Amino acid sequence: MHPATRQGATEALGAHTIAMAATFIAFGVATREAGFSLGWGLTSSAAIYGMAGQMVLLGAQPGAGTAAVAGAIMANARFMPMAAALAPLVRGPLAPFCVPFVAITPWAAAMRNLPGLPAPDRARWFLGFALTVWTIGLITTAIGYALAGSLSSGVLRLLLMVNVFYFALMIAAGLSRGGPWRASLGGALAAPLALLLPAGTPPAWGLLAAALIGGTAAFLLRRR
């Protein structure tokens, strides 16, 4: 194994991955309680690899078909700007292999660590990190599936939110060190706009609208 790949895999074994694993355990439990097979849950975790999209697909009504898939894609539309932000840091022949593994946990770690690595090692580091957390996501989905029936609904809701809480604390820690306060403030103020959407509008539209409005406001504020 290339040293950069080994370094990425080693650094993946931290608090961020524990937080992510908690959400995949909850997803595994929810998959079984919804009547889906373990294979369905593992395929969802492997191919979608984004909890918002996975939960949209899991909660879709029978026969939803294309609408359910479209909802899952919209819920994970945030990965597109994340990939665009990552692209300048990861170049070379291995860069295309990094795209399927862009998710919040590996992306946040990459944006923090890649600038300090030699350019030829960045894609290898990212793949080592991302493949490790992706594999852990599959394992913990199976663990959750096996635990179905032994966890209360309150515990499940808490597990689903652990990753959110973790990254909220990371943002707060970043702000205390002079991080991007305009973007954080814009997101926080724009998020309630999702509550103003007309009835029947997919919730994912609220996420996209809040991000567009809050992010644009933060960008303009910084330019000013």
Side-chain angles (χ1 to χ4, degrees):
M1 184 182 295
H2 191 278
T5 306
R6 186 185 305 111
Q7 179 185 354
T10 302
E11 293 181 8
L13 303 176
H16 40 254
T17 304
I18 294 174
M20 182 208 74
T23 65
F24 278 88
I25 289 175
F27 176 75
V29 174
T31 296
R32 185 169 181 179
E33 292 184 347
F36 290 97
S37 67
L38 175 59
W40 186 96
L42 291 175
T43 301
S44 176
S45 292
I48 300 177
Y49 192 41
M51 194 51 60
Q54 290 174 232
M55 294 304 294
V56 168
L57 197 60
L58 180 65
Q61 297 297 319
T66 304
V69 174
I73 292 173
M74 289 168 54
N76 283 347
R78 65 190 185 279
F79 293 156
M80 184 175 68
M82 289 163 59
L86 183 65
L89 297 175
V90 180
R91 298 183 180 272
L94 291 177
F97 297 99
C98 298
V99 175
F101 301 103
V102 173
I104 184 63
T105 299
W107 179 83
M111 297 302 291
R112 186 170 61 251
N113 290 282
L114 290 187
L117 295 176
D121 292 345
R122 291 174 181 173
R124 295 182 183 276
W125 183 96
F126 181 82
L127 287 173
F129 187 102
L131 282 168
T132 300
V133 297
W134 180 78
T135 302
I136 291 173
L138 296 181
I139 293 171
T140 49
T141 296
I143 291 174
Y145 196 88
L147 291 175
S150 60
L151 300 177
S152 68
S153 59
V155 171
L156 287 179
R157 287 194 292 269
L158 179 61
L159 288 175
L160 278 173
M161 295 301 295
V162 165
N163 213 26
V164 178
F165 292 149
Y166 173 78
F167 280 103
L169 291 173
M170 291 292 290
I171 290 172
L175 292 177
S176 68
R177 295 192 296 268
W181 65 268
R182 297 175 187 84
S184 301
L185 180 63
L189 294 179
L193 295 174
L195 301 176
L196 303 178
L197 292 173
T201 305
W205 282 109
L207 178 65
L208 294 176
L212 179 62
I213 295 171
T216 302
F219 175 80
L220 294 176
L221 179 61
R222 182 179 183 185
R223 290 196 64 180
R224 180 179 180 88

